[in-house]
Amino acid sequence: MTVAEKSPNEADMRSAIKIAVVVVLLVVGGTVALGILGGYDFGIYDGPPGSFRANFEEGTAATLKTEAGNAVRVDVFNIALDGRSFTARVVGLPEGQPGTWYASLDDETLVPLQTEVLANGDTRVTLPTDGPAGRLVDSYYFDPDDSDGDFYFRVSEKTPIS
């Protein structure tokens, strides 16, 4: 066999190796992409009832199932600079059940928050101005439906209640 006769086989081998490398990269890339996408919450929740705890900051969002069987999603955004008000989008509650927002204070008391449902269905949540003087907000607490399965948003900069 001459060198000319071996060249087509070598070319076929190189081509096969290139195809194998591309296939391996596609499989690895697809696996990584599925892993990343699997970490995102697409609003579907089939887990057990439970509570959610996170820092109170814009963009915080979670979905959980309450003991009453509701899969509720809460997104927090538009936090005022003074921390006294914010907007939340709540999805998954039965019609007519808005849920209840509270401020959990540094002495562990709960103060109901003022809420206003906006035209787009979002909820504007505001600290009352007539709360106990000298108390600071430790977290915001959302009780979707009076059953177990609640949202707790820890405040990093303590906000005075009045």
Side-chain angles (χ1 to χ4, degrees), residues 36-151:
I36 291 170
L37 290 176
Y40 288 108
D41 179 2
F42 291 104
I44 301 168
Y45 184 83
D46 292 320
S51 292
F52 171 80
R53 298 176 193 284
N55 290 331
F56 178 67
E57 52 194 30
E58 288 196 20
T60 299
T63 302
L64 64 78
K65 185 181 285 182
T66 67
E67 201 170 67
N70 296 310
V72 179
R73 179 174 176 84
V74 174
D75 294 90
V76 174
F77 55 98
N78 292 338
I79 299 173
L81 290 176
D82 62 2
R84 299 187 59 80
S85 66
F86 60 94
T87 304
R89 179 170 295 132
V90 179
V91 179
L93 288 176
E95 189 71 31
Q97 290 186 11
T100 307
W101 286 92
Y102 298 95
S104 178
L105 306 182
D106 55 356
D107 64 356
E108 299 185 9
T109 60
L110 293 178
V111 173
L113 298 175
Q114 299 166 345
T115 58
E116 171 191 3
V117 178
L118 305 175
N120 64 0
D122 294 342
T123 303
R124 188 81 184 142
V125 182
T126 309
L127 274 170
T129 56
D130 61 349
R135 302 274 46 109
L136 301 174
V137 175
D138 267 345
S139 63
Y140 290 105
Y141 163 69
F142 179 63
D143 183 4
D145 58 13
D146 294 330
S147 71
D148 285 341
D150 302 317
F151 296 84

Side-chain angles (χ1 to χ4, degrees), residues 2 4-5 7 12 31 83 99 116 126 160:
T2 65
E5 292 174 353
S7 291
D12 289 342
T31 303
E116 171 191 3
T126 309

